[in-house]
Amino acid sequence: MAARRQRLRHGLLGRRRRVGATVTTWNPWSLRELITDLAAGRTTPAEALERSRSRIADTDPVLRAWVEHLPEPALAEGPLRGVPLAVKDIIDLAGAPTRCGSALRADAPAATADAAIVRAWRAAGATPIGKTVTTEFAFFSPGPTRNPAAPEHTPGGSSSGSAAAVASGQVPLALGSQTAGSVTRPAAFCGIASLVLGHGRFPTDGVVGLAPSLDSHGVFTASADDLALAWSALTGTPEPPPNRAPRLLRWNASALGVDDAMSAALEKTCANLTDRGAVVTAFPEDQLIAELTEAHPVVMAYEAARERAEELAAADRLSDHLATLLRTGAAITDAEHDEARRVVVEADRRLARLTESCDAVIGPAAQGPAPRGLDATGNPVMSRAWQALGLPTAVVTGLRDERGLPLGIQLIGHHDGETALLATARGVEGA
Amino acid sequence: MAARRQRLRHGLLGRRRRVGATVTTWNPWSLRELITDLAAGRTTPAEALERSRSRIADTDPVLRAWVEHLPEPALAEGPLRGVPLAVKDIIDLAGAPTRCGSALRADAPAATADAAIVRAWRAAGATPIGKTVTTEFAFFSPGPTRNPAAPEHTPGGSSSGSAAAVASGQVPLALGSQTAGSVTRPAAFCGIASLVLGHGRFPTDGVVGLAPSLDSHGVFTASADDLALAWSALTGTPEPPPNRAPRLLRWNASALGVDDAMSAALEKTCANLTDRGAVVTAFPEDQLIAELTEAHPVVMAYEAARERAEELAAADRLSDHLATLLRTGAAITDAEHDEARRVVVEADRRLARLTESCDAVIGPAAQGPAPRGLDATGNPVMSRAWQALGLPTAVVTGLRDERGLPLGIQLIGHHDGETALLATARGVEGA
């Protein structure tokens, strides 16, 4: 009975519903607090797993973030001390099938080995406990996951389940991937922090990709502070200390359709940062972003048609949206793809010059808060340009619109600059 | 008071809700009954307009089928005796803006002239009374319209409002257009009849098109019987009498993902037809359909990028889905488009040989009933092949799945064979 009460207190009955609003509060689970408690012996890895299991049992009938649970997760050892980890279901996890949110893989057998990125997190001390909902092959057709911050709203996608699992406190750490805006958007919509690793950081073996020149790894935590800790553990490097007065280029992204609440949130964040000594100047070249935003879908469609050729051959069992992407992508010629890649390479050079004397670009992580409804996952347009370049990006959260829906701020770093980016993210988080 | 009671009786309070199901019944409005009443002097065109207005006032706060009402519709004269007509909001109607479901056209001025197809229906005696919801530029991003047969389900798209307006009895006649499955799918989902005119039938002047070689006109009514009447009025030809024992090629479309309820509905319809003397044989060449289904999106994306070049230049104000279509379409070369068109031309010859001794192909109009949710409009895959060929197609309704959701049967005719197709549709409707 005591255990049952305990579960209820932390579970569904424990959520606070704001009167007259659709917003519910599910507290995320701080990775740093958990690691501190584990280090101090106030809890054990087995208890952390049990807490995760109990939280999932309480909340997942509503949230639908998970597709598979490992019956007996093997406790990992390493700096993360065995904390529970969620794995997006396009990433192989030994002992569980990789179904990719697709009817085509409904009967997939259990993977026999971990993906390289899972091995890396396991070596860092994270314990994979199961697989989370992805949109169909990490494109747009959504799974059943609800947004923990507003259950009638999309959690975003494609890493829908991983974002919801962290936002609802089911796990303190979850893996995603991003080809367009599949990590940044769900982090922003669910009100949590995320890091998209630079393109090429860690191999993609064992990940069912969509567009090899665009696919990047991602990770979700409750806060940028937690991201810094996770990154340190993953890479065996010291934690980046907060950069409280960064030099930032402010990208308003107004040409990409930002709503008023998001504009105000960016404005306020930049004002607070400036008050604290940050130097914020305007991002000078919207044309560069426009060119990249245009080139990105061409590269993505071209590569997806070739990377997922097997699925293209069975397109009758795909959503019309994905089938259309693959079919139109197959009709894009090598020459057109080369031209789009050339735009990207040229833009990369120009951006490097623009940003060389700043710590990061700061801008909206999404056009606004999560749209209402579960049948679409929102617009990734705020990520296309940066993802075309393969830059590391982070989402910092903490702001809400007048309805209480989360708004995410995006930070874009330099190539190979994850550590410095996370230092900036920690600094911005405080603002 | 009497008028108010009358409105309530025919309005929201008059709907019958099936206990324990999501299905509501909104009776559509028979065009033939109305014309008969008008001819007999039992009602007047002005009363018909008032009935439409009243029905819209009662039901549209829930259904959201309309975007604009003409304040004083000019009563048309002709064989249709002034019956009220709904016009999809990509088709110009003098006195109303053409907004195309897009923020890009939110401030569009009122059109100064009718589209050619509106002039044709006006000459046939239909009175346009306003504009109905379309998805964004007749592609996939939905408007707010609910399915009258099941308000939590999509009405389909892109002609969402016109289908819902007929299914709910707001009007007896509504105009749509189809580039992929934008008439056939909403008719099937809402449980009404539709005709997609052969490509090139009536000019498309005044219609904001998507892909010129694919865009066709469409019309919705309560039944195939009404379609025959409407077609006769539009073309000034005698009404096609029911063909009760047609020769049909049965296309199961199983390679395109048909659900069990739809398969059973097709099975039952064919069995009933056979009992009544029809000759039903199997459609022999699924490969032909596969090739066309694959070529269609290539043609559509290529042409849409060029047809909507102005919108492509302002893609930041489009949905990501449409922006991606236009951007990938712009990267498809002339040579690839030519190749896809070549597939279509060749398939057209092969199909003509296959179908020369039959009245129509019969198959599913959609993969199944309307999917739940209003944020996506379902899959047009059952129409892509036929639309690539520009053939006239009709939807016959009357069947429901075990939840009471409508299921539509599709009939595909010969080039220039609308009249014969509607004769077959009337015959199939009885079965």
Side-chain angles (χ1 to χ4, degrees), chain B residues 17-315:
Chain B
R17 185 175 286 277
R18 294 177 35 153
V19 178
T22 59
V23 178
T24 49
T25 305
W26 316 71
N27 290 331
W29 188 357
S30 162
L31 179 65
R32 188 175 299 277
E33 276 179 32
L34 175 57
I35 298 277
T36 307
D37 286 349
L38 287 164
R42 285 190 293 270
T43 189
T44 66
E47 283 174 0
L49 251 59
E50 180 47 37
R51 175 174 161 182
S52 177
R53 215 175 270 131
S54 159
R55 183 83 174 149
I56 291 168
D58 284 346
T59 57
D60 219 52
V62 171
L63 292 180
R64 312 277 303 274
W66 296 79
V67 290
E68 195 80 23
H69 302 281
L70 291 186
E72 293 182 19
L75 270 182
E77 289 175 15
L80 292 175
R81 297 174 178 270
V83 299
L85 172 72
V87 178
K88 181 182 183 179
D89 195 25
I90 63 164
I91 303 170
D92 281 350
L93 172 62
T98 308
R99 295 205 186 91
C100 303
S102 168
L104 278 179
R105 298 202 174 209
D107 303 321
T112 52
D114 288 337
I117 189 71
V118 171
R119 288 200 304 275
W121 281 104
R122 216 188 267 279
T127 302
I129 63 166
K131 309 293 290 282
T132 52
V133 169
T134 174
T135 60
E136 179 198 29
F137 285 105
F139 195 53
F140 283 98
S141 291
T145 311
R146 293 179 179 274
N147 187 329
E152 302 302 318
H153 294 241
T154 177
S158 63
S159 310
S160 318
S162 283
V166 167
S168 60
Q170 294 176 339
V171 286
L173 192 66
L175 303 190
S177 70
Q178 175 155 307
T179 308
S182 285
V183 168
T184 299
R185 176 162 101 269
F189 287 175
C190 294
I192 57 174
S194 69
L195 172 68
V196 176
L197 283 64
H199 185 259
R201 279 277 198 190
F202 295 90
T204 53
D205 307 15
V207 180
V208 180
L210 198 53
S213 84
L214 301 171
D215 297 339
S216 294
H217 294 296
V219 57
F220 299 96
T221 58
S223 65
D225 185 59
D226 286 349
L227 279 181
L229 191 165
W231 179 251
S232 158
L234 180 68
T235 56
T237 54
E239 266 195 51
N243 176 355
R244 294 191 199 282
R247 293 152 303 165
L248 299 170
L249 280 180
R250 174 178 165 177
W251 173 57
N252 289 329
S254 39
L256 300 183
V258 179
D259 80 3
D260 291 345
M262 180 60 89
S263 294
L266 180 62
E267 176 76 39
K268 189 179 163 194
T269 303
C270 290
N272 289 351
L273 283 164
T274 309
D275 287 349
R276 292 165 48 179
V279 179
V280 182
T281 50
F283 184 82
E285 213 186 331
D286 277 351
Q287 181 55 29
L288 184 74
I289 303 303
E291 286 170 24
L292 285 166
T293 302
E294 217 162 305
H296 178 278
V298 174
V299 175
M300 182 161 163
Y302 173 94
E303 294 190 8
R306 286 146 186 90
E307 181 76 358
R308 302 261 59 84
E310 199 183 319
E311 286 75 19
L312 177 53

Side-chain angles (χ1 to χ4, degrees), chain B residues 178-181 196 199 211-216 288-300 303 340-348 351 380-393 410 412 415:
Chain B
Q178 175 155 307
T179 308
V196 176
H199 185 259
S213 84
L214 301 171
D215 297 339
S216 294
L288 184 74
I289 303 303
E291 286 170 24
L292 285 166
T293 302
E294 217 162 305
H296 178 278
V298 174
V299 175
M300 182 161 163
E303 294 190 8
R341 291 298 310 167
R342 199 196 55 70
V343 167
V344 171
V345 169
E346 175 57 28
D348 196 39
L351 188 78
V381 69
M382 293 298 155
S383 294
R384 288 192 184 275
W386 316 114
Q387 201 58 28
L389 299 172
L391 292 169
T393 60
Q410 181 176 202
I412 299 103
H415 287 296

Side-chain angles (χ1 to χ4, degrees), chain A residues 288 342-354 389:
Chain A
L288 185 74
R342 199 195 55 70
V343 167
V344 171
V345 169
E346 176 57 28
D348 196 40
R349 282 201 207 97
R350 282 155 64 199
L351 188 78
R353 284 194 299 273
L354 287 177
L389 299 172

Side-chain angles (χ1 to χ4, degrees), chain A residues 140 255-257 293-294 297-298 301 316 318-321 324 327-328 330-333 336 372-376 379-380 384, chain B residues 140 255-257 293-294 297-298 301 316 318-321 324 327-328 330-333 336 372-376 379-380 384:
Chain A
F140 283 97
L256 300 183
T293 302
E294 217 163 302
V298 174
D316 50 288
L318 301 177
S319 72
D320 186 69
H321 200 162
T324 297
R327 283 170 177 151
T328 53
I332 295 173
T333 57
E336 290 288 331
R372 198 174 163 84
L374 301 180
D375 300 325
N379 194 327
R384 288 193 184 273
Chain B
F140 283 98
L256 300 183
T293 302
E294 217 162 305
V298 174
D316 50 287
L318 302 176
S319 72
D320 187 71
H321 200 161
T324 297
R327 284 170 176 148
T328 53
I332 295 173
T333 57
E336 289 288 330
R372 198 176 163 83
L374 301 180
D375 300 325
N379 194 327
R384 288 192 184 275

Side-chain angles (χ1 to χ4, degrees), chain A residues 117-419:
Chain A
I117 190 70
V118 171
R119 289 200 303 277
W121 282 104
R122 215 189 267 278
T127 302
I129 63 167
K131 308 295 288 285
T132 51
V133 168
T134 175
T135 59
E136 179 197 30
F137 284 106
F139 196 52
F140 283 97
S141 290
T145 310
R146 293 178 178 274
N147 186 330
E152 303 302 319
H153 294 242
T154 177
S158 64
S159 309
S160 319
S162 283
V166 167
S168 61
Q170 293 176 341
V171 288
L173 192 67
L175 303 190
S177 69
Q178 176 155 307
T179 308
S182 285
V183 168
T184 298
R185 178 162 97 269
F189 288 175
C190 294
I192 56 174
S194 68
L195 172 69
V196 176
L197 283 64
H199 185 258
R201 279 278 198 189
F202 294 92
T204 53
D205 309 14
V207 181
V208 179
L210 197 52
S213 84
L214 301 171
D215 298 338
S216 293
H217 295 295
V219 57
F220 299 95
T221 58
S223 66
D225 184 61
D226 286 350
L227 279 181
L229 192 164
W231 179 252
S232 158
L234 180 67
T235 57
T237 53
E239 265 193 50
N243 177 355
R244 293 192 200 281
R247 293 153 302 166
L248 298 171
L249 282 179
R250 174 178 165 177
W251 172 57
N252 290 331
S254 36
L256 300 183
V258 179
D259 79 4
D260 291 344
M262 179 62 86
S263 295
L266 181 61
E267 177 75 39
K268 189 180 165 193
T269 303
C270 288
N272 290 349
L273 283 164
T274 309
D275 287 348
R276 293 165 46 176
V279 179
V280 182
T281 51
F283 185 82
E285 212 186 334
D286 278 351
Q287 180 55 29
L288 185 74
I289 304 303
E291 287 170 23
L292 285 166
T293 302
E294 217 163 302
H296 178 278
V298 174
V299 175
M300 182 161 164
Y302 172 94
E303 293 190 9
R306 286 143 186 93
E307 181 75 0
R308 302 261 59 84
E310 199 183 317
E311 286 76 19
L312 177 53
D316 50 288
R317 296 182 64 197
L318 301 177
S319 72
D320 186 69
H321 200 162
L322 181 55
T324 297
L325 177 87
L326 299 183
R327 283 170 177 151
T328 53
I332 295 173
T333 57
D334 295 349
E336 290 288 331
H337 177 248
D338 290 349
E339 170 58 21
R341 290 299 306 167
R342 199 195 55 70
V343 167
V344 171
V345 169
E346 176 57 28
D348 196 40
R349 282 201 207 97
R350 282 155 64 199
L351 188 78
R353 284 194 299 273
L354 287 177
T355 58
E356 62 188 350
S357 65
C358 81
D359 294 305
V361 174
I362 186 168
Q367 292 175 312
R372 198 174 163 84
L374 301 180
D375 300 325
T377 61
N379 194 327
V381 70
M382 293 298 155
S383 295
R384 288 193 184 273
W386 316 113
Q387 202 58 28
L389 299 172
L391 292 170
T393 60
V395 171
V396 174
T397 188
L399 294 150
R400 303 231 165 196
D401 75 0
E402 76 283 357
R403 292 168 296 172
L405 294 170
L407 295 164
I409 297 295
Q410 181 175 201
L411 295 165
I412 300 102
H414 298 282
H415 287 296
D416 300 319
E418 285 88 348
T419 304

